[in-house]
Amino acid sequence: MSYYHGIMDLGFDLISDLNITDISQFDWEGKPTSLYCILPGNISTDLNVVHQVLQHLSQYYQGIFYIDGRLENPSLNDRAFVIEKINEMVASVPNLVYLHNNVVVIEGVAVVGVNGWSQYDVTTDDDKFQLKSYKYDDLAYLQKTIEKLQLHMDVKKIVIISNSVPSIDLYFGEFPYSEHPEIDLDFILDSDTENKIKYWAFGSHKKIVDTNRYGINYLNNPKYENLPYYAKRISI
């Protein structure tokens, strides 16, 4: 668990689903609105481009909190390699925090991140088994982490970052049919006994969402082909 100390009125820039193939397509100069930014994955399928984007953003933010997504994991069998390469980026990119198995606490606000492993298009039995394994690992990690943070005296609020859409309800009827219904990530909300979860930022959905459900603000900020594109500020 990492600690950052800054100002009391916290602001985060939410940047998601950049889908970049060429770093020359991305320039963030003049766009930051906060000291910190959160990225729920889907930067690029090319990890070298991911590295360059994170390096570029590190010029403008005091803290970058990132979880990898579907784009960064085009092959389920390469998961260990992806984790290793992103951890190497942490050593070379100033102010970068990789949220895989890592919680950040800033002025009483805990930032927790998972991929979530939803809506992957897999066909083989081996891939389906692997995907389910990853999904249940993330659910178990998220549930256990939220339970621990209930007892953490320094944590007053929790922000969850997931690459996956946390609930089927957030598709508002646009969710594609699936023969294999998935467990929603917000299944873990029962573990939030002290009502510390205040924000849930996510990726992997082209429709803009900013809604409150049961005291939690769910929001995304998808770029995809949307131009011009700006950060969405979260004030806590």
Side-chain angles (χ1 to χ4, degrees):
M1 187 176 295
S2 304
Y3 289 83
Y4 276 70
H5 298 282
I7 56 177
M8 293 302 294
D9 182 20
L10 287 176
F12 298 86
D13 280 1
L14 173 57
I15 305 169
S16 66
D17 301 293
L18 292 174
N19 292 273
I20 294 174
T21 57
D22 184 348
I23 187 61
S24 66
Q25 302 171 358
F26 184 70
D27 183 3
W28 207 245
E29 184 175 1
K31 291 187 175 182
T33 67
S34 309
L35 289 177
Y36 307 103
C37 77
I38 52 182
L39 292 97
N42 292 348
I43 293 177
S44 178
T45 56
D46 186 336
L47 293 182
N48 290 323
V49 172
V50 172
H51 191 179
Q52 291 173 311
V53 168
L54 295 173
Q55 188 79 50
H56 178 72
L57 289 172
S58 71
Q59 302 175 65
Y60 306 109
Y61 291 103
Q62 183 174 310
I64 301 171
F65 310 123
Y66 165 68
I67 191 68
D68 54 296
R70 188 188 318 176
L71 284 186
E72 290 86 346
N73 293 272
S75 172
L76 296 178
N77 294 326
D78 291 338
R79 179 60 180 158
F81 172 78
V82 171
I83 293 173
E84 179 184 359
K85 298 304 291 184
I86 297 176
N87 277 321
E88 289 176 4
M89 296 177 199
V90 173
S92 62
V93 177
N95 309 322
L96 172 63
V97 178
Y98 181 30
L99 290 173
H100 175 70
N101 292 340
N102 192 21
V103 178
V104 176
V105 179
I106 315 169
E107 299 296 346
V109 178
V111 182
V112 183
V114 293
N115 179 307
W117 302 98
S118 294
Q119 294 84 57
Y120 277 72
D121 186 16
V122 295
T123 56
T124 70
D125 289 340
D126 286 345
D127 280 350
K128 290 177 182 177
F129 177 82
Q130 187 68 78
L131 188 62
K132 183 177 291 188
S133 175
Y134 290 156
K135 178 68 175 283
Y136 278 92
D137 283 349
D138 273 8
L139 278 168
Y141 166 77
L142 194 55
Q143 185 171 35
K144 184 179 297 183
T145 301
I146 296 304
E147 288 174 353
K148 288 182 177 179
L149 291 174
Q150 302 305 298
L151 305 175
H152 200 303
M153 299 303 294
D154 292 334
V155 173
K156 307 302 181 184
K157 299 178 180 180
I158 299 172
V159 178
I160 298 179
I161 315 299
S162 67
N163 177 252
S164 299
V165 180
S167 170
I168 191 173
D169 294 337
L170 295 172
Y171 283 95
F172 302 102
E174 296 181 1
F175 183 73
Y177 170 78
S178 174
E179 295 181 356
H180 307 284
E182 300 175 349
I183 297 177
D184 287 340
L185 286 176
D186 66 358
F187 165 82
I188 57 84
L189 291 180
D190 286 343
S191 299
D192 185 33
T193 56
E194 302 299 315
N195 297 315
K196 292 185 177 184
I197 300 175
K198 301 302 179 184
Y199 291 88
W200 194 317
F202 59 92
S204 297
H205 190 9
K206 293 184 178 181
K207 185 172 182 177
I208 294 174
V209 176
D210 187 346
T211 187
N212 285 278
R213 301 172 71 237
Y214 311 111
I216 300 173
N217 188 188
Y218 292 88
L219 67 169
N220 67 352
N221 185 32
K223 177 181 181 295
Y224 288 102
E225 302 301 326
N226 297 325
L227 294 174
Y229 178 73
Y230 300 97
K232 183 179 186 68
R233 180 179 168 85
I234 304 173
S235 295
I236 301 178

